[in-house]
Each structure stands twice: as structure tokens, then as C-alpha cells.
Amino acid sequence: NGSKLITGTGANTGLNHTSFYVREDTVIATLAGTNENGEATNWLTEIGLSGITLKQGDFYPVGLSDKITAITLTSGSVILY
């Protein structure tokens, strides 16, 4: 699926990515997807990112068999891979 730049605060759905790079200090409101068993997963709580500011340059993989399917930012920007 290549990469996808996410900016602004609108909901982004229908995604199929396994990681993201933080382009600038960023707060994420929603980070949803599926785990290796296809079960719905809240990645914010699963990987401990809820309620924190992610720092520019950080890279977060969820796993090659896991997927990020939706993301909504509160501030900042990321690139999904």
C-alpha cells in the first residue's frame, strides 16, 4: 500500500498499514486496526500511546501481521507505511 501522509484532524479510514512515522510533535485521537487474528484492536491503548504527545522522528510499528485501518489526529502529522 505504499505510504500515506496524514495531516489535519479529520478521520482517515479504510487504511491498510503496519507502521507510522511522526513528522512533527503529534497527538493521536484514534488509532484503530486489526491484530494478527483479524480482531479489532485499539492501537492507542495496545501500544501505550493514549493521551501523550508523540515526538518528531518517532517510528511506531504495530507488526507485519497487524494492520492500522483508521487514524484521527488531534494535532501534528504522520506518514503511514
Side-chain angles (χ1 to χ4, degrees):
N1 288 318
S3 61
K4 180 176 177 76
L5 174 63
I6 304 293
T7 61
T9 57
N12 296 273
T13 59
L15 306 171
N16 187 22
H17 297 275
T18 60
S19 60
F20 64 95
Y21 171 79
V22 181
R23 295 182 63 231
E24 59 188 296
D25 288 0
T26 298
V27 176
I28 299 176
T30 303
L31 186 64
T34 56
N35 65 18
E36 62 189 13
N37 298 319
E39 300 164 332
T41 302
N42 178 343
W43 291 117
L44 280 183
T45 56
E46 189 71 24
I47 56 180
L49 303 179
S50 185
I52 65 170
T53 299
L54 309 180
K55 297 299 180 184
Q56 178 182 6
D58 287 350
F59 180 78
Y60 295 93
V62 295
L64 292 177
S65 298
D66 303 321
K67 299 296 179 197
I68 297 169
T69 59
I71 187 170
T72 303
L73 303 179
T74 301
S75 64
S77 62
V78 301
I79 301 174
L80 297 171
Y81 294 98

